[in-house]
Amino acid sequence: MPHRPIIALLAILLTAAQPSPAESPRQPVLVELFTSEGCSSCPPADALLLQLDAAQATPGAQPVIVLSEHVTYWNHDGWHDPFSNEALTDRQHQYGSRFGLDDVYTPQIVVDGAQQLVGSDRVKLVSAIQSASTQPKIPITLENVQWSGDAVTAQVSAQPGAASATLIAALADDSDQSSVLHGENQGRNLRHVAVVRSLVELRKIKGPLTQQPIQIKLPSGVHPQPKMRLVVFLADNHNGHILGATMQPISR
């Protein structure tokens, strides 16, 4: 189970700078963790993401949407991460280019596509979330979310104004755990939250979306879990910053 005192501390930090009743309610902040079960530095970051997600149950907490994105470049080192996905490695490389990094690394957290930090740095993470929460966001609504075979379908509505953006959807397991038999984490039982199994750039947009149909499929060999999450967000085409995001739990 996540460590309760740490969850309480995160909840306090995330509620410390809430808007007054006269101000607009805060929009969700998207937190992406790039991680791997083959990386010995990653379990503390995985645990921090679990704690951040658990803190969302606290009334008044800053809304945060988390995604655990398992990369592939550790798979050669004795353990093949069963949740790794080449598309997520590609996404991290895109961020690496935008941030001017010499190379990608794990664990890495990206907050709203605008700030990157070491994935286990709790203090910097809370600061980045609080900063991102002050930025204006585009509300996104989901309707008629349902399973259709091995795919999830939904209708998306948003008003991005004049922004040029890409509509992106992620389908994630609500939670996962794994007993690692080899590699740097040999012998450890690892727990993860919001594990991305599919991430798709659906379409470029400029202008309003009104009940836009979307579909996101699971990759071949990946089976639907009883509890999953559909995350849909808009990314600025110029700098990759997240303009708006929403999440809806889905059950099988």
Side-chain angles (χ1 to χ4, degrees), residues 234-249:
L234 287 169
D236 189 296
N237 287 336
H238 301 294
N239 56 23
H241 293 183
I242 305 305
L243 303 176
T246 191
M247 186 277 288
Q248 183 165 322

Side-chain angles (χ1 to χ4, degrees), residues 70-72 75 81 83-90 196-199 219:
H70 289 236
V71 297
T72 56
N75 287 350
D81 188 331
F83 309 112
S84 61
N85 187 321
E86 195 66 41
L88 305 178
T89 304
D90 292 343
V196 175
R197 308 314 308 269
S198 181
L199 188 144

Side-chain angles (χ1 to χ4, degrees), residues 198-231:
S198 181
L199 188 144
V200 180
E201 293 187 358
L202 296 169
R203 57 173 292 185
K204 307 288 186 184
I205 66 167
K206 189 171 185 179
L209 288 175
T210 304
Q211 296 182 320
Q212 172 69 41
I214 65 168
Q215 181 185 71
I216 179 168
K217 291 184 177 181
L218 288 170
S220 176
V222 175
H223 303 292
Q225 298 299 306
K227 294 175 65 177
M228 299 191 75
R229 305 181 186 191
L230 175 63
V231 176

